[in-house]
Amino acid sequence: MRLVLASTSPRRLDLLKRIGAEPARVAAPDVDENVRAGETPRAYVLRVAIDKAHAVPRAADEIVLAGDTTIAVGRRILAKPEDEADLRRMLALLSGRRHHCLSAVCLIGADGKARTRISDTVVAFKRLSQAEIDWYVACGEGMGKAGGYAIQGKAEAFVRYLAGSHSGVVGLPVFETRALLESAGYSLG
């Protein structure tokens, strides 16, 4: 059985390799990641992960793995910032607050059945000064990241509390991913 990663994220690929899963190929899924009216953060992240998995063609001897991660402050979904002003708004919102990082994983097995898991991690940022927000925006690390930050980088210095999956916040919860791969009969190295 060959594994297909439906993501071009280098972080997801690295996290897969940490658990002994080596994708035979990597494919970029083309899906609509816009939040739908009334969609909760949990429903949103799960839908996008499932859509990504289904968007990649699968041969009979392949299984497809996809994931999606989002940041939620209450019912508000913080997607990837559109520009520096949006990033500043997100960081100000996260400053001194707890938020949820939801990371969904979808695996389409050889039987064509979709299996899913969601990791919900609570993260609390310290209260950020304007100088810290300016510094983080200037480094450019938060652009292209859900919620406007990368916990595996400079933003880790802002985290005063984390309960859940660190790898889920990075982009792929390895515990849940490993369980899905094993349930599909994929042999981990």
Side-chain angles (χ1 to χ4, degrees), residues 3-189:
L3 175 62
V4 177
L5 176 61
S7 172
T8 56
S9 164
R11 291 163 303 285
R12 286 194 179 112
L13 183 59
D14 178 56
L15 289 166
L16 268 179
K17 288 180 180 178
R18 287 186 197 179
I19 60 170
E22 189 75 39
R25 68 183 173 94
V26 173
D30 183 21
V31 300
D32 176 14
E33 294 188 41
N34 291 313
V35 179
R36 295 179 181 160
E39 199 166 34
T40 65
R42 183 175 288 274
Y44 166 76
V45 74
L46 187 59
R47 174 186 56 85
V48 174
I50 292 168
D51 288 354
K52 286 179 179 180
H54 284 291
V56 172
R58 180 182 62 81
D61 66 337
E62 292 179 326
I63 59 174
V64 177
L65 181 79
D68 193 62
T69 300
T70 198
I71 302 299
V73 179
R75 288 182 56 94
R76 286 177 284 191
I77 296 170
L78 301 185
K80 298 171 185 171
E82 295 176 11
D83 53 29
E84 284 189 3
D86 197 27
L87 176 55
R88 286 179 189 285
R89 179 190 62 79
M90 288 181 186
L91 292 171
L93 182 63
L94 296 173
S95 176
R97 298 180 76 166
R98 288 173 26 143
H99 59 274
H100 290 262
C101 177
L102 299 164
S103 193
V105 183
C106 179
L107 180 101
I108 306 224
D111 58 1
K113 179 181 174 188
R115 297 167 176 85
T116 60
R117 294 274 177 105
I118 294 181
S119 166
D120 184 351
T121 301
V122 176
V123 181
F125 270 20
K126 70 182 280 308
R127 183 157 311 281
L128 302 174
S129 68
Q130 191 57 52
E132 289 169 319
I133 290 173
D134 292 343
W135 168 78
Y136 193 70
V137 170
C139 84
E141 182 180 83
M143 295 305 293
K145 306 289 190 303
Y149 72 91
I151 198 169
Q152 71 277 16
K154 293 174 172 67
E156 189 168 14
F158 300 153
V159 177
R160 65 175 176 79
Y161 174 82
L162 183 142
S165 171
H166 184 274
S167 63
V169 181
V170 174
L172 188 72
V174 294
F175 177 81
E176 289 80 358
T177 301
R178 183 180 183 93
L180 282 174
L181 289 168
E182 287 175 341
S183 74
Y186 181 80
S187 178
L188 293 162

